[in-house]
Amino acid sequence: MTLICKRKYPPSSLQTRRNLRVSHCFAARVPPQKKPREKVEIPGLEMVTYGDRMHYVPGLAKPVYPPWEMSFKDPRYYRSPPAQEMALYKDKPCYVFNQRTSILEGVRQAAWLTKTHVRPGLLPHLVSLAAKPENQLPDQDERVQNAIKHSRFWDTTEPRPRKEKYSNTLLLNLLHLCATLQPTHPAVGRRILAENYSLAATWKRGEDLFQIRGRNGLLHCSMDPLPRICGEQEVLETSDQVLESFYPVSPTIDLQQVSVYKEEMNCTGFRGEYPYPHAHTLYFLETSDPNCQLRPEQFRAKMIMFTFGNALARAHKLYGTQPQSLLERPITVQAVGTNGRIFQFLVFQLNTTDLSGDDGIKNQAWLDEDVELYDFAKVRPFIKRKEVKVPAGLAGYKPETFSKFLALYLHGAA
Amino acid sequence: MAARIRLPLLLPRSFPPLRSLKHVHTEAVKEPQYPPIVASLTAKSKSARLRQNEERIKLISSSPVEEKLSLITRIQRMKFVVYPQTFSRNPDRWYQHFTKTAYIPGLPEKFNPTTEGSQLATDQPAVPEIDDAAFSEIRDLVTRVILHEHWHKMRKRQPFLYKHQEQVVGPFLKTLVSELTYNLAKYNPLLRLSSLDFSPQVNFYWRRGKRIIPKGHRRGRQEPIRFQIDDHPHSQIRIPQQLPQFAPLEASYTAEVPEIHLAPNVMPLFRRQYDNNIFTGAKLPDPACYGHTQFHLVPDRYHRDRLARQQHSDQVEPFLRANAAASLFAWTGAQAMYQGFWDYQDVSRPFVSQAVITDGHFFSFFCYQLNTLALSVETDANNPRKNLLWGTESLRLYEGVQDGAVVGLDDCVLRLLVQFLMNRPHS
């Protein structure tokens, strides 16, 4: 194993400053910063300034003028007022979850914030949807493998496409394959894919106010709502379950704290008489932004939060913003997240909008973590000690993952 | 000594009785068998250079397709980079000359129901296999898609300068293409096997014409002019079977291709040297290797409103035609090269593709038939075939959106769009 030696650099404020445009000494150590003299303000004492004389006079004080403001409004030179002076300023802070938030405790924290009981694995009646022969594509395995090969190998003139490109292409290819079932399943035609819509939802949890804001990814909207996953009896049984606590970490950790916000901000992203009001599935991709790389646990938490946000915004629209302890028709929303190889499946059922207390009926979520679609997709074979460990091309394809994807897609339409 | 020769009593037929070659092995050796006399391969002469070219052509013709492509695109030289969407004036004539394409206004008879039997056409639906009920469903779908993007979706702020097409019209076209494709999949089974790409790459490399090198150590010598197209359509549909031809190969013999006697850099067109790529949107092993339809978005810089402000409204249609000619030539050419045809092995069947170019409101429809790939000087000398481009003027799909309703949705444009997507080989 090679040892990687890292050279240690001094902080940038103390690094030697080099000026190569002058003819004297090129480099000199930065002189230490001088602390400015403390100015003493004595009220009532008028300082004699050199303002009247229009030039500097040693011994007299520097004149202080009121800040100049332009007489007209120019957006290039606008300075926003401090937060306390803004119109929407409130004393009580609001904790905002946006698409770049990476919360420390992951799924546990998301479950606590949304008052959800998370169960591992999808329900069998969902997964068995795709096992029926009429719900399968002709030549399904071959076509899915072609879709994977297209996204991983064939999509570019270079040897291999980059990760954000291939994960995006893979998701679109799989959605295209699922959508070609529209001739046999006409209900699939009652949906539309929306992207870049701005979601907003507000709720109170205990003493604190929480909001979800942002654009998360692709949303499959439908004219018809999804059927409920869980019966009434099981929904009532959730009131006996206790939310997992992660004391001493505060549930509001890593959330953006804002003092300037609009209360009761609920927006599904669409206005007017939208023909596709119900959210069917959300599709999440890993962002290429180096500043917000989410680890798998945080990625799953983001999925839960945004699914909850979509469900809550629609619940507020249907039933009003007053907290309701049990919704007559629970709102079901699904989510699929992927990084190009590994998939996360989530089904969320919103049973209640009364989230202030820790007891009572909880929302439910079924989360299938880390499901691989294939093992390796190598452009060049992986050879170790003159032995081919992983051959070139697609290796280790798992057909069950696409069945789950298709099952979630056809849920409500088959 | 002559006197001592004893002559036999019976004289043989041929006298003197010398061994005559006429009677021995008559059918065999007639003339001396020498190896063919050809020019040298390694001499420093013009004939050696010609012989080297012939050997290279033989080598390329006999290799498998992947090797053929890499042999043709191996050497990098300075080439003209042809941009399908260009600011030049009258680019359609230039691009038709570079790609040997003849422009025919209007669409092929397949898409024009207004032929002699126009009375019959009004009784039958304009699009076969789609009756009025299905067509009204499609119309509703298109209305919903327009409203979804332009009315229902909430936007926080107006798009920034020159970002309107990318941020507003791009997603609208994406949704329109996908929804229409899936909806029409029940009438056109080919669309179920198709592959839909968003922001794909299409590249093509070819040679046309020659020039005399003006300066340098190779001054005075002939050099072919090389071109490269690097196109990025908004979306495209690729299919595993080829579309049928619009017109027979022989029909292109009489078509007219504009001849331009100026050098390409006058257009203006600029030279660069980089990787030569030939790419349809997916690499060779992909089963969907033929093209169906491409969709192009007119960028903000070339939007008709901006051109009208600069008093260049007459350049709107030439821009669209040039875009269609270059993009579709590159796509069909790449499809043909994926099947093993190239400059010296011309296409045995025409390759056909379609394109729709739009700026959100106005749609233009184009059909292209590639009849010949032999565009370089040696192969084009006796080549009567020409490539054909059919196209319409830009047609308005809808006037606008007011209070949650689409105003002025044009059925003819919708019908053309549906016909384009319904095109498939006769089975």
Side-chain angles (χ1 to χ4, degrees):
Chain A
M1 192 177 82
T2 50
L3 283 168
I4 303 167
C5 299
K6 283 192 183 165
R7 194 177 290 173
K8 290 196 179 154
Y9 290 105
S12 52
S13 53
L14 294 178
Q15 279 185 16
T16 308
R17 201 182 289 155
R18 287 167 218 280
N19 188 356
L20 299 168
R21 293 164 106 182
V22 297
S23 52
H24 59 67
C25 172
F26 290 160
R29 197 185 285 181
V30 172
Q33 278 188 346
K34 288 183 187 166
K35 282 181 196 160
R37 196 156 46 98
E38 275 181 40
K39 285 202 177 143
V40 179
E41 296 255 345
I42 302 170
L45 189 70
E46 200 187 310
M47 306 290 279
V48 181
T49 64
Y50 54 78
D52 294 331
R53 307 232 204 151
M54 305 295 275
H55 64 94
Y56 173 70
V57 172
L60 295 185
K62 188 173 178 181
V64 175
Y65 298 110
W68 172 75
E69 277 174 21
M70 275 202 276
S71 54
F72 58 92
K73 191 175 155 190
D74 190 345
R76 292 181 298 168
Y77 302 107
Y78 171 71
R79 290 220 130 171
S80 54
Q84 281 81 9
E85 288 168 32
M86 290 208 189
L88 293 173
Y89 178 75
K90 291 162 184 76
D91 292 318
K92 186 173 163 198
C94 174
Y95 299 96
V96 174
F97 186 99
N98 55 36
Q99 68 266 31
R100 295 159 54 99
T101 312
S102 164
I103 48 182
L104 178 70
E105 288 290 326
V107 174
R108 276 197 304 181
Q109 189 175 353
W112 195 93
L113 286 171
T114 58
K115 203 172 167 189
T116 310
H117 179 66
V118 181
R119 261 173 270 200
L122 292 178
L123 284 175
H125 72 88
L126 262 185
V127 182
S128 60
L129 253 182
K132 292 183 206 165
E134 63 264 16
N135 288 349
Q136 286 179 1
L137 293 162
D139 295 326
Q140 182 167 307
D141 286 336
E142 196 194 315
R143 291 185 70 189
V144 176
Q145 283 176 312
N146 276 342
I148 302 171
K149 283 181 200 169
H150 172 255
S151 66
R152 286 303 299 256
F153 306 127
W154 303 332
D155 198 22
T156 170
T157 47
E158 284 139 40
R160 60 172 72 79
R162 277 166 296 125
K163 186 167 186 178
E164 51 274 2
K165 183 163 190 217
Y166 78 65
S167 54
N168 194 27
T169 322
L170 180 65
L171 185 67
L172 291 177
N173 283 351
L174 294 179
L175 280 172
H176 177 72
L177 282 178
C178 297
T180 51
L181 278 175
Q182 194 174 320
T184 44
H185 297 76
V188 171
R190 295 167 62 81
R191 298 185 198 163
I192 199 170
L193 262 180
E195 44 180 354
N196 284 342
Y197 69 102
S198 304
L199 177 70
T202 320
W203 74 101
K204 265 203 176 111
R205 187 98 172 81
E207 295 289 324
D208 308 312
L209 196 62
F210 293 93
Q211 275 193 7
I212 283 196
R213 306 287 286 270
R215 305 175 167 190
N216 59 287
L218 279 176
L219 170 67
H220 220 108
C221 309
S222 163
M223 291 187 192
D224 319 307
L226 274 172
R228 64 189 298 159
I229 308 278
C230 235
E232 276 232 34
Q233 188 54 38
E234 288 160 33
V235 170
L236 292 168
E237 275 168 20
T238 56
S239 50
D240 304 325
Q241 279 141 9
V242 176
L243 289 173
E244 226 181 304
S245 158
F246 37 95
Y247 182 84
V249 176
S250 158
T252 57
I253 194 171
D254 282 329
L255 293 177
Q256 185 188 8
Q257 195 174 340
V258 289
S259 306
V260 179
Y261 58 92
K262 251 191 213 171
E263 274 179 8
E264 304 296 328
M265 181 77 193
N266 284 299
C267 171
T268 52
F270 306 99
R271 62 171 169 172
E273 287 276 327
Y274 190 45
Y276 306 92
H278 304 275
H280 187 275
T281 320
L282 283 93
Y283 294 97
F284 291 85
L285 285 169
E286 290 201 348
T287 48
S288 51
D289 193 357
N291 292 333
C292 60
Q293 296 276 347
L294 296 173
R295 277 162 284 142
E297 188 66 19
Q298 277 70 30
F299 186 61
R300 276 176 240 131
K302 178 180 165 183
M303 281 170 67
I304 295 178
M305 294 301 291
F306 273 97
T307 327
F308 168 77
N310 272 290
L312 190 69
R314 283 163 175 85
H316 281 312
K317 202 170 165 186
L318 276 176
Y319 300 107
T321 48
Q322 287 303 314
Q324 313 230 338
S325 59
L326 178 64
L327 299 176
E328 303 137 6
R329 271 204 212 137
I331 297 179
T332 315
V333 186
Q334 297 170 152
V336 176
T338 176
N339 74 344
R341 188 173 79 89
I342 302 179
F343 282 74
Q344 334 273 352
F345 298 109
L346 171 75
V347 182
F348 189 92
Q349 180 166 303
L350 187 78
N351 299 321
T352 169
T353 50
D354 181 15
L355 304 162
S356 22
D358 283 342
D359 50 352
I361 295 176
K362 320 256 179 326
N363 303 315
Q364 290 162 301
W366 291 265
L367 181 60
D368 208 353
E369 300 182 351
D370 288 343
V371 189
E372 291 179 351
L373 182 58
Y374 53 92
D375 282 331
F376 297 99
K378 292 229 170 261
V379 170
R380 288 168 54 197
F382 176 55
I383 299 176
K384 196 157 181 184
R385 290 173 182 268
K386 298 188 187 174
E387 221 185 288
V388 177
K389 300 280 184 189
V390 181
L394 188 63
Y397 168 65
K398 295 177 177 63
E400 306 84 39
T401 316
F402 183 72
S403 308
K404 284 187 193 165
F405 187 93
L406 190 58
L408 284 187
Y409 187 90
L410 288 176
H411 186 211
Chain B
M1 286 170 40
R4 294 228 184 133
I5 293 169
R6 271 191 197 176
L7 291 169
L9 291 169
L10 285 170
L11 292 172
R13 279 213 188 134
S14 64
F15 193 76
L18 294 169
R19 217 183 295 150
S20 167
L21 293 170
K22 277 189 278 185
H23 292 281
V24 176
H25 306 302
T26 325
E27 293 82 29
V29 186
K30 276 199 177 155
E31 28 186 80
Q33 290 285 308
Y34 295 116
I37 301 170
V38 287
S40 151
L41 202 56
T42 50
K44 195 179 169 188
S45 64
K46 285 181 199 159
S47 48
R49 173 63 80 188
L50 288 174
R51 170 104 193 280
Q52 282 164 18
N53 284 343
E54 276 169 29
E55 292 297 317
R56 183 167 178 268
I57 292 163
K58 262 191 237 162
L59 173 66
I60 296 178
S61 302
S62 56
S63 354
V65 183
E66 197 155 346
E67 245 184 75
K68 213 183 248 189
L69 286 177
S70 74
L71 280 171
I72 292 170
T73 55
R74 194 172 66 92
I75 300 177
Q76 286 185 15
R77 292 266 182 263
M78 291 293 274
K79 58 191 175 180
F80 284 106
V81 182
V82 175
Y83 290 96
Q85 295 178 329
T86 171
F87 53 80
S88 336
R89 294 200 56 86
N90 298 325
D92 55 336
R93 294 192 66 240
W94 285 93
Y95 287 0
Q96 281 176 44
H97 170 65
F98 296 149
T99 60
K100 203 177 178 189
T101 310
Y103 175 67
I104 304 170
L107 289 176
E109 291 115 23
K110 201 169 175 176
F111 297 119
N112 270 336
T114 53
T115 43
E116 282 109 32
S118 56
Q119 281 177 349
L120 289 169
T122 45
D123 295 335
Q124 290 166 15
V127 186
E129 298 125 7
I130 293 189
D131 54 354
D132 291 329
F135 190 75
S136 62
E137 256 181 52
I138 293 171
R139 195 193 298 126
D140 291 334
L141 172 71
V142 172
T143 322
R144 284 198 299 267
V145 168
I146 296 172
L147 288 173
H148 158 81
E149 191 59 43
H150 292 291
W151 178 256
H152 291 291
K153 199 193 254 184
M154 290 188 55
R155 273 194 186 89
K156 290 241 175 95
R157 54 188 75 88
Q158 293 296 321
F160 194 64
L161 190 65
Y162 285 172
K163 293 273 188 193
H164 182 265
Q165 295 290 99
E166 185 192 318
Q167 288 178 2
V168 176
V169 185
F172 158 63
L173 189 61
K174 187 172 175 177
T175 322
L176 185 71
V177 168
S178 28
E179 291 301 313
L180 270 182
T181 311
Y182 303 140
N183 203 297
L184 292 172
K186 52 177 163 309
Y187 305 110
N188 185 355
L190 192 62
L191 290 177
R192 284 179 233 178
L193 305 168
S194 64
S195 187
L196 182 55
D197 306 326
F198 292 108
S199 320
Q201 221 183 331
V202 173
N203 305 88
F204 192 59
Y205 171 76
W206 79 103
R207 302 173 177 190
R208 178 129 167 98
K210 64 174 190 259
R211 67 164 190 153
I212 297 180
I213 302 173
K215 211 166 157 57
H217 65 280
R218 297 179 63 209
R219 180 188 155 147
R221 293 185 180 84
Q222 308 266 350
E223 194 199 32
I225 306 180
R226 293 166 286 267
F227 297 91
Q228 167 88 41
I229 292 183
D230 295 318
D231 189 23
H232 297 273
H234 173 269
S235 49
Q236 68 184 21
I237 302 175
R238 282 178 296 114
I239 47 177
Q241 292 169 35
Q242 202 176 339
L243 284 176
Q245 61 188 29
F246 290 124
L249 267 178
E250 293 73 32
S252 67
Y253 291 5
T254 47
E256 276 179 23
V257 174
E259 281 275 332
I260 298 185
H261 300 286
L262 297 167
N265 54 336
V266 173
M267 194 197 154
L269 214 54
F270 300 99
R271 261 183 286 244
R272 257 194 295 155
Q273 178 174 321
Y274 59 99
D275 268 334
N276 305 324
N277 287 325
I278 294 176
F279 193 64
T280 58
K283 287 187 184 154
L284 261 175
D286 196 318
C289 50
Y290 295 104
H292 189 275
T293 319
Q294 266 185 351
F295 291 86
H296 291 265
L297 197 59
V298 174
D300 282 286
R301 292 185 70 194
Y302 308 111
H303 194 83
R304 54 183 59 225
D305 296 338
R306 184 170 182 262
L307 291 179
R309 265 183 277 143
Q310 295 171 333
Q311 272 105 41
H312 290 325
S313 299
D314 56 326
Q315 293 294 310
V316 171
E317 299 299 328
F319 166 82
L320 296 169
R321 284 199 289 268
N323 189 1
S327 304
L328 285 173
F329 170 74
W331 205 25
T332 46
Q335 290 167 43
M337 293 200 84
Y338 272 23
Q339 301 305 312
F341 301 110
W342 63 299
D343 217 354
Y344 287 85
Q345 283 177 315
D346 210 357
V347 294
S348 56
R349 56 188 193 274
F351 282 78
V352 153
S353 285
Q354 301 165 144
V356 178
I357 308 185
T358 173
D359 68 353
H361 285 266
F362 288 88
F363 282 70
S364 320
F365 300 88
F366 295 93
C367 302
Y368 195 90
Q369 180 165 318
L370 184 85
N371 293 321
T372 174
L373 267 182
L375 300 171
S376 62
V377 180
E378 301 90 34
T379 46
D380 198 26
N382 293 321
N383 186 13
R385 298 186 194 176
K386 290 154 185 101
N387 302 320
L388 298 171
L389 171 71
W390 290 265
T392 61
E393 304 273 308
S394 33
L395 308 159
R396 200 188 257 278
L397 179 66
Y398 67 101
E399 302 271 338
V401 174
Q402 264 183 14
D403 296 327
V406 174
V407 174
L409 188 66
D410 192 352
D411 274 353
C412 302
V413 182
L414 205 52
R415 229 166 241 143
L416 267 178
L417 198 53
V418 169
Q419 275 179 315
F420 258 49
L421 285 172
M422 289 290 296
N423 194 4
R424 64 185 184 283
H426 322 289
S427 46

